[in-house]
Amino acid sequence: MSITASESVELKEKDILHSSRLGVFSSDAAEYTASIDIDVKLLSSVVAINSAHVIMLAERKILDRKIAGQILNALKQIPNDFEMKAELEDVHMNVEDYVISKIGNDSGGMMNLGKSRNDQVATAIRMALREDLILLAKSIVKLEKSLLVQSGKYSASVMPGYTHLQRGQPVTLGHHLLAHFDSLDRDFSRLVDCYLRTNLSPIGAGALSSTGFDIDRDRAAELLGFDSVLENSLDAVSSRDFATEAIYLCTQTMTDLSRLAEEIILWTTREFSFAEISDEFASTSSMMPQKKNAIVPEIFRAKTSQVLGDLTAAMGLMKSLPLSYNLDLQELTRNLWSAMDKAIVSISILSDVISELKFSVDNMMEAVKSDEFLFATELADYLVEKHHLSFREAHNRVGKLVRHVASNNSGRGQITTASPKVLSEILGVTIPAEELKLIFDPKLALQRRSAVGSPNPRLVKEAVKKRRESISKHEATINSLEDGISESRELLSSAANSIEKLGKGTGSLGR
Ligand code: ARG
């Protein structure tokens, strides 16, 4: 990739970028400032943008159709494995250089009329990001489906619910998994929002102030599948909030899911024994033969930090940039792809982990039954309902009872094993044995909850059903986004064909 100083001098003769204005460009500087390593991802979009721009120029009679046809034909010949030269800095100059080398400077040299690398790169990033956002949407839906299957399967399985990682009250496993589904579903709706703001076209904004040629920005936007133009030319070339928003989306989604990853790690410990991760996603120790480590969720947690790092870097990079374009923006693109790549892959593999996770419902139920403190709130509620105590009074009395039981049992203990005398003394009321039993029944505690969003198995089943419908809607959304992109590809190629045909028919300048 690097070029020597003597090569630099030679290049100066041919280099379409540095040839006249500047002297020799240092090879170290070329390597240091080049973006061709990350530009590979932009190549097909850059080719499409050049085609759309040239078609628009020809349609507006700004560019001779014959020349336009030649440029379009040269652009078509760019191979997928197009080798880019670092001394040309980026994909934009490499594509232009290729076209000029094919059809000469008189024709090829017209391709950049009325546009700049600044509007072009902003447009290309948006186009590449559209596709990444669709991949991310697919990963999210894949994980949503895994969560929903497991939630449905375990809609009635009782487990301890936690606050502060201390046992709180019984919940259902299906309900717990649906909590993760719901936060992920908000991430999906953020993604759709982000897509709308991404799918706006900067091309035609030029370097910063558009152009004096009578271009049609709407037409270029249409040919590239954008919803509309990003209007203000300074904003169009210099804003990257669509990109930082996408990195934030990755960060938020992965942060949400990193909590699930953390729970899988906890639940698969012997201390919890609530689940077993599939061998496919676990590893053992090189020394301790018994180990089964949940390494995929561990790496998920770590990648979440890296994506957060991308967000921090990107926001930091933006905060002091004066309008409009500055080359710093190029480096933000690295953070964008890094975050998108990590999020897409991580969410997809976490979905596989969830599908294959084996939950131990017996161990969860055992954890609930062996810890009657989980029902302390139920007991307090009972005192309010049956004996008309204020809640605070009931809370105090039950708290005293728990303290008494725990102090005699090294912090643990079963409330119902306390003698009826002690119970009546501390609670100040006598609870018949058969009623006491009902208070500590996990299934009844869950059934008593009928408010919307409760862990009641009946409500969990209904919630799962409702969320299945929302997944179908998401799939329809993804399809329509994909259709938009493929329709614009067809539009672009048929518009290019007609310009090429017209170009062959006329010999005259269309201007
Ligand atoms: N490689 C640049 C980027 O990725 C393209 C725009 C460069 N513009 C410039 N005036 N040097 O942002």
Side-chain angles (χ1 to χ4, degrees), residues 362-381:
D362 292 343
N363 289 351
M364 288 182 178
M365 181 55 111
E366 181 49 33
V368 171
K369 287 206 164 144
S370 66
D371 189 352
E372 287 176 357
F373 292 170
L374 278 160
F375 299 84
T377 319
E378 296 307 299
L379 180 56
D381 287 350

Side-chain angles (χ1 to χ4, degrees), residues 191-476:
L191 186 151
V192 175
D193 257 15
C194 177
Y195 194 98
L196 289 178
R197 277 184 285 274
T198 297
N199 204 24
L200 301 171
S201 169
I203 196 70
L208 74 159
S209 74
S210 192
T211 172
F213 287 96
D214 184 23
I215 60 167
D216 181 352
R217 290 189 60 196
D218 288 318
R219 175 62 173 154
E222 181 193 19
L223 289 169
L224 296 170
F226 285 103
D227 293 331
S228 65
V229 299
L230 190 64
E231 198 178 298
N232 184 296
S233 66
L234 292 168
D235 178 42
V237 296
S238 70
S239 61
R240 290 291 186 274
D241 54 289
F242 72 98
T244 48
E245 185 176 356
I247 305 173
Y248 163 71
L249 169 72
C250 295
T251 312
Q252 183 61 59
T253 309
M254 288 197 61
T255 301
D256 289 338
L257 294 172
S258 188
R259 303 175 71 184
L260 173 60
E262 169 68 10
E263 287 182 341
I264 296 169
I265 294 164
L266 285 174
W267 290 357
T268 54
T269 59
R270 203 124 55 241
E271 280 71 13
F272 274 85
S273 299
F274 286 177
E276 186 177 349
I277 192 167
S278 159
D279 291 1
E280 286 177 87
F281 307 113
S283 181
T284 186
S285 151
S286 62
M287 189 172 182
M288 301 167 283
Q290 87 282 12
K291 290 302 290 292
K292 181 168 185 184
N293 301 326
I295 59 166
V296 170
E298 284 179 328
I299 294 297
F300 190 102
R301 274 190 315 205
K303 297 240 183 249
T304 303
S305 316
Q306 292 170 340
V307 171
L308 172 61
D310 285 318
L311 179 64
T312 311
M315 297 302 275
L317 185 153
M318 288 306 296
K319 75 173 178 41
S320 315
L321 289 188
L323 299 188
S324 59
Y325 185 85
N326 300 272
L327 197 56
D328 313 44
L329 294 175
Q330 170 179 293
E331 297 305 297
L332 189 149
T333 314
R334 290 179 197 283
N335 297 117
L336 176 62
W337 302 145
S338 148
M340 293 302 297
D341 290 350
K342 286 189 178 77
I344 292 164
V345 173
S346 304
I347 295 168
S348 169
I349 194 161
L350 190 64
S351 159
D352 298 332
V353 170
I354 294 292
S355 307
E356 298 298 318
L357 203 59
K358 285 206 171 54
F359 290 100
S360 176
V361 290
D362 292 343
N363 289 351
M364 288 182 178
M365 181 55 111
E366 181 49 33
V368 171
K369 287 206 164 144
S370 66
D371 189 352
E372 287 176 357
F373 292 170
L374 278 160
F375 299 84
T377 319
E378 296 307 299
L379 180 56
D381 287 350
Y382 171 89
L383 295 180
V384 172
E385 218 184 346
K386 280 276 155 77
H387 297 279
H388 311 294
L389 264 57
S390 83
F391 177 72
R392 191 52 59 219
E393 181 55 32
H395 183 277
N396 276 330
R397 292 187 194 181
V398 177
K400 204 169 163 192
L401 177 62
V402 168
R403 188 189 170 102
H404 171 82
V405 174
S407 66
N408 292 330
N409 292 284
S410 342
R412 302 181 182 192
Q414 295 294 71
I415 293 175
T416 51
T417 57
S419 73
K421 188 169 163 274
V422 168
L423 278 175
S424 310
E425 252 172 42
I426 298 182
L427 294 179
V429 298
T430 301
I431 304 173
E434 62 279 10
E435 283 198 25
L436 197 61
K437 219 169 125 209
L438 299 184
I439 297 169
F440 290 90
D441 183 316
K443 301 238 155 149
L444 289 180
L446 289 164
Q447 275 165 18
R448 268 196 291 275
R449 285 157 166 70
S450 58
V452 64
S454 309
N456 182 329
R458 177 178 58 81
L459 295 174
V460 173
K461 271 196 200 92
E462 281 170 20
V464 168
K465 216 165 136 201
K466 215 165 94 192
R467 280 152 184 77
R468 272 198 208 110
E469 287 160 24
S470 97
I471 285 190
S472 307
K473 282 191 195 133
H474 296 344
E475 285 177 326

Side-chain angles (χ1 to χ4, degrees), residues 35 38-39 42 89-90 92 116-118 121 125 240 325-327 329-330 333:
S35 58
I38 46 164
D39 283 357
L42 300 181
E89 292 186 11
D90 54 30
H92 315 282
S116 147
R117 282 188 288 172
N118 298 351
V121 73
I125 298 169
R240 290 291 186 274
Y325 185 85
N326 300 272
L327 197 56
L329 294 175
Q330 170 179 293
T333 314

Side-chain angles (χ1 to χ4, degrees), residues 486-506:
S486 45
E487 278 160 23
S488 73
R489 284 202 186 118
E490 282 161 29
L491 184 67
L492 183 66
S493 111
S494 80
N497 287 341
S498 29
I499 296 288
E500 276 189 73
K501 233 186 249 159
L502 288 170
K504 277 182 195 141
T506 61

